[in-house]
Amino acid sequence: MWFKIIIIVQVLSALAIIGLVLMQHGKGADMGAAFGAGVSGSLFGATGSSNFLSRSTAIAAVIFFVATLAMAYMGHRPAPKSTVVEKLETMQVTPTQAPQPEKQEKAAAAGIAAVPGAQPEKPVEKP
């Protein structure tokens, strides 16, 4: 349950990092805007956008790393010993063998049923 929640948080933080990094301006964007090659205005202002976006990226990165460390810790812990395979290993299983044809013939000749609890098909007379 917790592992799935941590995975969801990690994926969302990774997507947030990708989106925030793609929205940021590079160092060369201001130089191009100074010579008329681009538009320098943005939603948060000229200097406010870099601070807001860089802080948001840092917060998303911290969330991503914390989620990664939590997944590593949860993955390192030993699993509870309640798996089906481990339960089968602890059970006492006695192997059964199918009756062999030679033993069935000897049992029928002696008047004994080949399968315990079953009656022989026809009684055999002993000489």
Side-chain angles (χ1 to χ4, degrees):
M1 168 79 178
W2 286 106
F3 197 75
K4 291 180 183 180
I5 292 172
I6 293 173
I7 288 177
I8 292 170
V9 168
Q10 186 182 31
V11 168
L12 291 177
S13 64
L15 293 175
I17 290 170
I18 291 170
L20 290 168
V21 167
L22 289 177
M23 287 188 337
Q24 291 180 14
H25 292 286
K27 290 184 179 179
D30 293 333
M31 183 67 77
F35 294 110
V39 178
S40 63
S42 66
L43 180 65
F44 302 104
T47 59
S49 66
S50 64
N51 288 337
F52 174 76
L53 291 177
S54 63
R55 288 183 185 184
S56 300
T57 305
I59 291 170
V62 167
I63 293 171
F64 180 81
F65 286 124
V66 168
T68 302
L69 290 173
M71 283 189 344
Y73 175 73
M74 292 181 77
H76 185 269
R77 290 187 312 179
K81 300 195 181 205
S82 62
T83 62
V84 175
V85 175
E86 290 175 353
K87 286 181 182 177
L88 287 176
E89 289 175 352
T90 59
M91 294 176 74
Q92 295 288 338
V93 179
T94 56
T96 58
Q97 296 180 352
Q100 297 174 355
E102 298 170 354
K103 290 183 180 179
Q104 288 179 352
E105 292 171 1
K106 289 180 182 177
I112 303 171
V115 179
Q119 299 294 328
E121 293 181 12
K122 48 184 163 176
V124 179
E125 296 179 18
K126 295 181 182 178

